[in-house]
Amino acid sequence: MCSPRFFRVEYEINPWMDTGVPVDADLAVKQWERLRETLVELGHTVHTLDPDPALPDMVFAANGAFTVDGVAYGARFRFPQRGAEAAAHRAFYAAHGWPYTEPVEINEGEGDFAYLPGVAGGLILAGYGFRTAPPAHAEAVEVLGRPIVPLRLTDPRFYHLDTALAALDDHTIAYYPGAFSEASQRVLHRLFPDAVLADEADALDFGLNLVSDGRHVVLNGDAAALATKLAAAGFTPVPVELTELKKGGGSVKCCVAELRPPPPTTTDPPTPR
């Protein structure tokens, strides 16, 4: 995660950003801090990047890379206003000893990639249509060695996959069908017939921009109907408020880059003879 100490809306690169709407910087930090505390209280370790005053969108840390089994596939941002963020993420992975691949193709990290380790031995859902370029999907396959299902986003309000779809556990997703092309909707229905479906109102409240550990689902508090559906599906909703960061086009998931280390190795004891 990265503190929104320098968060502001000084350009418009998605439909949610409006330079004429003021941001309460102190409230943004307070809300972000409560999100960080919530994750720690749920038992998770949170690493933080130092914010850069020249990069007001660094708070949206999910866009900086995508990791699978201890390997990081770096980001290359669509818009130059965010381009320099990639170096900060690259430095983090280098400092922690993660293999890191510098991308050739445009992709915006976990903004457009979701991982389901329990499906097909590890399946990546990959969004395209607004930010990530389709050739990045092939590049990610080579880097991460996992099959990818491309999904076309068609509504500019849902410009990243993580605004319209989320992994709830190793094999379950929640999504808003209206964000996708008809063909992609059919693919999702075939792959995930038991998915939790969000309505447009909760999707527009960034309810799907969530983080789940397989049991607890941390999501925007405005998405009350989706929280009810998640509870009915056996998950525990944990609502948080991020009103200020929504002004930049993001919420919970945008603020969190999930680190997926290699699976633990076990050494079985020798078989007695």
Side-chain angles (χ1 to χ4, degrees), residues 3-100:
S3 168
R5 180 153 41 107
F6 304 113
F7 174 66
R8 58 199 180 275
V9 178
E10 63 178 23
Y11 46 77
E12 298 177 7
I13 59 173
N14 69 56
W16 303 96
M17 303 179 86
D18 183 345
T19 55
V21 175
V23 171
D24 185 331
D26 291 338
L27 180 57
V29 171
K30 183 182 296 185
Q31 292 177 337
W32 176 89
E33 197 56 59
R34 181 60 198 138
L35 171 60
R36 188 192 65 79
E37 291 169 355
T38 297
L39 294 171
V40 172
E41 289 166 2
L42 291 173
H44 304 291
T45 300
V46 178
H47 302 269
T48 56
L49 298 178
D50 292 330
D52 185 329
L55 299 170
D57 278 342
M58 265 192 76
V59 62
F60 300 129
N63 304 146
F66 176 57
T67 66
V68 174
D69 286 352
V71 176
Y73 173 49
R76 182 182 176 197
F77 288 85
R78 169 74 62 182
F79 291 99
Q81 292 93 331
R82 298 195 64 187
E85 293 178 35
H89 290 270
R90 181 173 64 247
F92 171 85
Y93 290 107
H96 288 79
W98 287 58
Y100 177 95

Side-chain angles (χ1 to χ4, degrees), residues 53-243:
L55 299 170
D57 278 342
M58 265 192 76
V59 62
F60 300 129
N63 304 146
F66 176 57
T67 66
V68 174
D69 286 352
V71 176
Y73 173 49
R76 182 182 176 197
F77 288 85
R78 169 74 62 182
F79 291 99
Q81 292 93 331
R82 298 195 64 187
E85 293 178 35
H89 290 270
R90 181 173 64 247
F92 171 85
Y93 290 107
H96 288 79
W98 287 58
Y100 177 95
T101 295
E102 184 78 28
V104 173
E105 306 296 343
I106 293 172
N107 83 89
E108 300 202 343
E110 282 197 306
D112 274 324
F113 291 110
Y115 187 52
L116 284 298
V119 179
L123 182 69
I124 297 171
L125 302 180
Y128 71 99
F130 297 104
R131 295 294 184 87
T132 295
H137 299 167
E139 189 173 55
V141 167
E142 292 301 314
V143 174
L144 302 171
R146 296 293 188 280
I148 281 184
V149 175
L151 300 167
R152 185 162 72 91
L153 297 160
T154 57
D155 186 329
R157 297 173 299 177
F158 307 105
Y159 60 96
H160 274 152
L161 184 70
D162 70 2
T163 64
L165 180 150
L168 297 175
D169 59 23
D170 288 356
H171 48 75
T172 310
I173 67 169
Y175 71 100
Y176 168 53
F180 298 91
S181 69
E182 291 185 4
S184 292
Q185 290 181 44
R186 291 195 295 270
V187 169
L188 287 169
H189 179 69
R190 290 188 184 113
L191 287 174
F192 304 99
D194 298 322
V196 176
L197 300 183
D199 61 23
E200 183 180 35
D202 279 336
L204 291 174
D205 279 330
F206 286 88
L208 290 163
N209 196 241
L210 60 82
V211 171
S212 176
D213 60 13
R215 177 184 175 190
H216 307 96
V217 180
V218 184
L219 77 164
N220 197 290
D222 293 335
L226 180 58
T228 299
K229 291 180 180 179
L230 292 168
F235 298 94
T236 302
V238 182
V240 295
E241 299 302 322
L242 289 175
T243 56

